[in-house]
Each structure stands twice: as C-alpha cells, then as structure tokens.
Amino acid sequence: MNYKVGVISGDGIGPEIVNEAKKVLDSVGAKFGHKFEYTEILMGGASIDVHGVPLTDEAIAAAKASDAVLMGSIGGDTTTSPWYQLPPNLRPEAGLLSIRKALNLFANVRPAVLYKELKDACPLKDEVIGDGFDMVIMRELTGGLYFGERKTIEENGVMKAYDSLAYDENEIRRIAIRGFDIAMKRNKKVTSVDKANVLDSSRLWRKVVEEVAKDYPEVTYEHMLVDNCAMQLVKNPRQFDVILTENMFGDILSDEASMVTGSIGMLSSASLNETKFGLYEPSHGSAPDIAGKNIANPIATVLSAAMMLRYSFDLSKEADAIENAVKKVLADGYRTIDIMSEGCTQVGCDKMGDLLCERI
Ligand code: NAD
C-alpha cells in the first residue's frame, strides 16, 4: 500500500536522524511491499528562517493532508540562537504547541524501554532492573492545568497567581479508551494514576476510567496515587505496562520513566488524535551541541517510525521488524556515542541507519 508521510525534519540533529528513519522505512517498504511518500513540512527554526514564523497555515494543511507525520526535533541553543530573541509566540517551540492544537493531538504515548544490552546506562540497581523493563506512559496532552484558566493579580499589595485544573468526562474518556486500546496491543495492564485523595478532577478521572475499564474485561487495571507512582517507577519499574494519566502528572512521570532507562537517544513517542492520525517524534530535543557531526543516535526516531506503522497504519509485522532490527543491532554490539560502552563498536548516525536497514 501507499502511505503519505508528512516529514518535519526540524532543527539541530533533526535532519540527520529523520534521514535515517526514512532509510529504515524504505527498507521496510521494500521488504513488505509498501511505498512511503514523503512531504517535507517546515516547522520550528527552519520555518522561522524561511517564513518568519515557526508554523504556517500551509504547513498545518500539509500535515493534515498526510496519513501521519514523522518529526525529528525542533529548536536551537536557547542561549545563543537568534530564534530565542523573538517573542515567545514566534520561537521554535510555539510551532509544536500550535501543531498539537491544530491536529487535536490529545493522547501522548511515550514508551520507556530498558533493553538488557543497555543495562549499564540505567541508574537503578541490577536486582531492580532484572531483565529490563518495557512500559508506556499514556499522557493526556491538551487539557488539565496547562490549558486551564490562569491569572496573576495583586490583592492588598500581595501578588497572587492562579492556575486551574479542569477536565470534563469526555476528555477523560477519550484518553482512557486510547490507554486501554494500547494495553490490548501489549501486556493488558493499565495503571491509572491520579491524586484522588485530594483533587476533584482526579475523582472524576477515577470514575470515568472505571466505566471505560468495563469495556475491556481482558485488561487488568489498578489505580495508583501519583506520589506513589513516582516512587514505584524507581522501586519496581517492571510492574508497569501502560501508565494512564493526566497532563501534568504525565509530563513529570514520563521524564522520570525515560531517565530510568538512562538513554534518551533511544526513546520514541507518539501524539495521537481520535482518528488514526498521529505525530511521531523522539522524546529528546534537537541536541544543537552535536548537530551536523554525524554522531547523533537515530534509534529514537527510527522507533518513532515503528510506532507510526503500528498505530497509524496498523502494520504490526512491519513495526516488529524495526523493533527487532534495533534489538539485533544492539546485540551485535553496535553503539552510537551516547550509549557506547566498553567492548562495543562505536558508529555514527548514518552507519547506525545502514546497520538497521541490513537487519530489517
Ligand atoms: P536535548 O534532548 O536536545 O539534549 C540533551 C542532551 O542529550 C544533549 O547533550 C544532547 O547532545 C543529548 N542528546 C539528545 N538527543 C540525542 C541523540 N539522539 N543522540 C545523542 N545524544 C543526544 O535537550 P536540550 O539540550 O534541553 O534542548 C535542545 C533544544 O531542543 C532546545 O531548543 C529545546 O527547546 C528543544 N527541544 C525540542 C523538543 C521537541 O522538538 N519536541 C523536545 C525537547 C527539547
């Protein structure tokens, strides 16, 4: 089949890592009889340089016309790049917020996987790590505290600031459904994380999740308070399959989960809406410090492409082929500089892409 893939190469290492992901996709296409047609879309600093704004209406239209969007990363060095002299709404990151909103990408999926070959990079003890872990954080992305009403006022000469955390049941239901759907494609366990002992929004969250769970009798689910979840992630990360949570808790927990894997260059992500459409990108940034040196790790972007095949195109076998190629390349001892360890062979960004293609 033919698939239309919008491609946001972005800034910094973005073009290098996206190039490798496209090479791997093309190898998958050749093996399984698919064609991926790429449309380049400008966003972030690359768009500012050409159009003066981080995202144009034409770019949004091109993204909407695609079956899915694959992205590298946007942004530059926030202290030295001229992009950060611009007002906040014209800086590179504003493009990302705008595209999430324009495409209604309310569900953020971030796997945190520790491969046994990369155990040395994990800051946790061996007995905690065991054979490694493999979980997904499903974070609500367009509601809650970050999108609620806010104001700062002065009362009797004292400054006071308000942020409001609101969720309606429909917002909770649609992310919960996404979470349970993804659990069905994995190990069928959902841990719904909230602060129901204190917050009304969390009590509603819990009630709606319980309703949704009834439609998924095969999925085991539990509720966990967010403070406990933060502890459990370092105490026993192997207990988790899908962690389902609201925007701010997910923001914090997904960073914690990715740090316990110890290798940011390996972590993929997807942002999904109610259709099959999704925006797929590595969890890391544009790494301006290593841009143009051909040393970036392309694996997070390659694994994001695998997520695109699995979630937007329903191509599970093809996604498995990419994920297995990553495992093989690690087992064969090849590493980019960020995950290098003694006895392994260090390779650059493009060589890593070639090695992955050979293993598809
Ligand atoms: P970063 O993730 O870009 O880099 C942090 C460190 O990790 C750096 O030392 C970098 O060299 C290293 N690193 C990151 N990805 C790597 C890879 N694939 N291979 C090897 N090493 C890698 O975070 P930062 O430095 O805080 O941010 C840099 C820019 O990226 C900023 O402009 C920031 O706003 C932007 N950013 C964009 C996104 C996004 O596009 N979604 C996300 C986060 C940060």
Side-chain angles (χ1 to χ4, degrees):
M1 250 185 94
N2 283 18
Y3 297 94
K4 286 184 279 177
V5 180
V7 174
I8 300 173
S9 295
D11 310 314
I13 59 170
E16 299 166 56
I17 54 182
V18 165
N19 201 34
E20 301 315 310
K22 280 162 63 180
K23 265 165 48 182
V24 173
L25 277 175
D26 291 339
S27 298
V28 168
K31 174 161 181 184
F32 292 90
H34 306 298
K35 183 149 178 42
F36 301 104
E37 290 161 9
Y38 306 108
T39 305
E40 291 291 333
I41 299 172
L42 286 182
M43 194 173 97
S47 174
I48 295 172
D49 289 347
V50 176
H51 300 294
V53 290
L55 186 71
T56 60
D57 290 345
E58 290 72 26
I60 293 174
K64 283 185 175 167
S66 309
D67 297 322
V69 172
L70 180 67
M71 182 174 135
S73 189
I74 49 109
D77 184 320
T78 49
T79 47
T80 57
S81 164
W83 297 327
Y84 296 91
Q85 304 300 319
L86 296 165
N89 64 327
L90 292 179
R91 291 180 192 174
E93 289 72 13
L96 192 55
L97 294 180
S98 305
I99 202 162
R100 282 180 183 157
K101 207 166 169 191
L103 302 172
N104 192 26
L105 302 171
F106 65 84
N108 184 237
V109 192
R110 260 171 79 165
V113 182
L114 178 65
Y115 297 92
K116 60 177 187 304
E117 291 82 5
L118 299 182
K119 266 163 89 171
D120 287 351
C122 175
L124 304 178
K125 287 183 188 155
D126 271 358
E127 62 260 34
V128 175
I129 303 167
D131 276 345
F133 49 82
D134 178 351
M135 70 182 103
V136 154
I137 314 274
M138 171 60 89
R139 165 190 170 194
E140 203 288 328
L141 203 59
T142 54
L145 202 57
Y146 299 171
F147 289 84
E149 267 179 52
R150 71 195 63 209
K151 62 181 173 183
T152 305
I153 56 165
E154 198 178 319
E155 253 176 22
N156 305 324
V158 178
M159 296 299 287
K160 195 167 179 176
Y162 295 80
D163 295 285
S164 44
L165 198 184
Y167 271 107
D168 71 39
E169 58 177 304
N170 297 328
E171 289 173 305
I172 302 170
R173 190 167 293 108
R174 64 183 187 176
I175 184 82
I177 290 171
R178 278 290 189 169
F180 279 82
D181 280 347
I182 283 181
M184 284 297 288
K185 292 189 178 183
R186 296 174 44 93
N187 292 324
K188 301 192 171 73
K189 181 178 176 195
V190 169
T191 304
S192 174
V193 174
D194 61 38
K195 188 70 183 168
N197 53 342
V198 179
L199 301 175
D200 263 18
S201 56
S202 282
R203 285 189 274 271
L204 181 63
W205 181 278
R206 214 172 253 222
K207 180 171 174 288
V208 176
V209 169
E210 276 169 13
E211 285 166 17
V212 170
K214 286 185 189 138
D215 293 332
Y216 296 85
E218 286 176 55
V219 177
T220 311
Y221 81 98
E222 62 181 352
H223 300 288
M224 191 177 279
L225 295 175
V226 61
D227 36 356
N228 185 25
C229 185
M231 291 193 285
Q232 294 299 327
L233 275 171
V234 289
K235 193 174 167 212
N236 180 15
R238 281 181 290 159
Q239 70 184 284
F240 296 112
D241 180 25
V242 176
I243 292 178
L244 167 67
T245 193
E246 60 97 59
N247 201 344
M248 185 178 68
F249 298 159
D251 189 5
I252 297 165
L253 295 176
S254 58
D255 268 19
E256 185 188 357
S258 60
M259 279 325 293
V260 298
T261 71
S263 38
I264 185 94
M266 300 287 301
L267 300 172
S268 53
S269 88
S271 301
L272 310 171
N273 65 19
E274 260 149 349
T275 70
K276 284 275 172 197
F277 184 88
L279 184 144
Y280 298 84
E281 57 172 321
S283 294
H284 59 73
S286 60
D289 53 332
I290 58 165
K293 296 184 177 163
N294 190 26
I295 58 171
N297 185 350
I299 294 180
T301 316
V302 168
L303 289 172
S304 302
M307 289 182 86
M308 176 175 82
L309 300 185
R310 194 180 299 285
Y311 296 130
S312 283
F313 303 158
D314 280 325
L315 299 176
S316 304
K317 270 199 318 285
E318 292 80 344
D320 288 346
I322 295 184
E323 289 164 4
N324 289 334
V326 168
K327 285 180 193 152
K328 275 189 218 146
V329 110
L330 295 176
D332 291 345
Y334 294 105
R335 304 282 189 273
T336 43
I337 192 167
D338 56 312
I339 51 171
M340 182 59 191
S341 60
E342 228 182 287
C344 293
T345 310
Q346 191 175 315
V347 295
C349 184
D350 59 355
K351 178 71 179 168
M352 181 56 90
D354 293 342
L355 292 166
L356 290 167
C357 291
E358 284 166 18
R359 285 160 182 76
I360 291 295

